[in-house]
Amino acid sequence: MGEEHDARPESPVIPGQGAAARSPEGVPTGGLSDRDRDILEFERQWWKHAGAKERAVRDRFGFSATRYFQVLNTLLDRPEALEHDPMLVQRLRRLREARQQARSTVRRPGR
């Protein structure tokens, strides 16, 4: 007896669809890049001292602390990040909002 073949035609590959689809920069479309996932993993750690975190950011990602937080804040606004780790992203969003609130309520002397 010979091999049996499925008579159904293969479904066409549509650019931009599926888990393996990538942008020209190599970033998965509709998902998080490896760097994005690495940043979220890094944020799960507990940091007691700001200097230690800043040094770890530079060692691990090669970013200044300022650039790292710019990237992180952009990432926190992405629905893919929320889908990837809802508890972490919601906690970080709450912390960000609390810091923004605290800055906006600080009264300046002489005003």
Side-chain angles (χ1 to χ4, degrees):
M1 291 215 173
E3 293 180 28
E4 292 183 23
H5 295 283
D6 191 351
R8 291 176 290 171
E10 291 184 32
S11 55
V13 176
I14 301 170
Q17 289 187 348
R22 294 187 176 268
S23 72
E25 295 81 28
V27 176
T29 57
L32 299 176
S33 68
D34 290 340
R35 184 192 72 176
D36 294 339
R37 286 188 296 276
D38 197 24
I39 288 172
L40 292 175
E41 178 64 33
F42 183 78
E43 281 299 315
R44 284 188 198 100
Q45 299 177 27
W46 179 257
W47 298 98
K48 292 184 181 181
H49 307 288
K53 184 175 183 179
E54 290 174 8
R55 180 180 206 138
V57 163
R58 186 167 300 282
D59 291 346
R60 186 164 177 176
F61 301 106
F63 294 157
S64 68
T66 301
R67 179 66 184 140
Y68 173 79
F69 287 110
Q70 290 170 341
V71 171
L72 176 61
N73 280 314
T74 300
L75 180 57
L76 293 179
D77 292 331
R78 293 183 53 200
E80 299 92 350
L82 184 62
E83 184 178 318
H84 178 75
D85 194 335
M87 290 181 63
L88 174 68
V89 171
Q90 288 173 348
R91 178 175 62 86
L92 293 173
R93 285 178 176 178
R94 282 192 307 271
L95 289 170
R96 178 178 65 181
E97 290 169 16
R99 284 191 299 270
Q100 289 171 342
Q101 180 87 24
R103 281 193 301 269
S104 68
T105 59
V106 172
R107 294 179 187 239
R108 295 190 175 98
R111 289 190 181 204

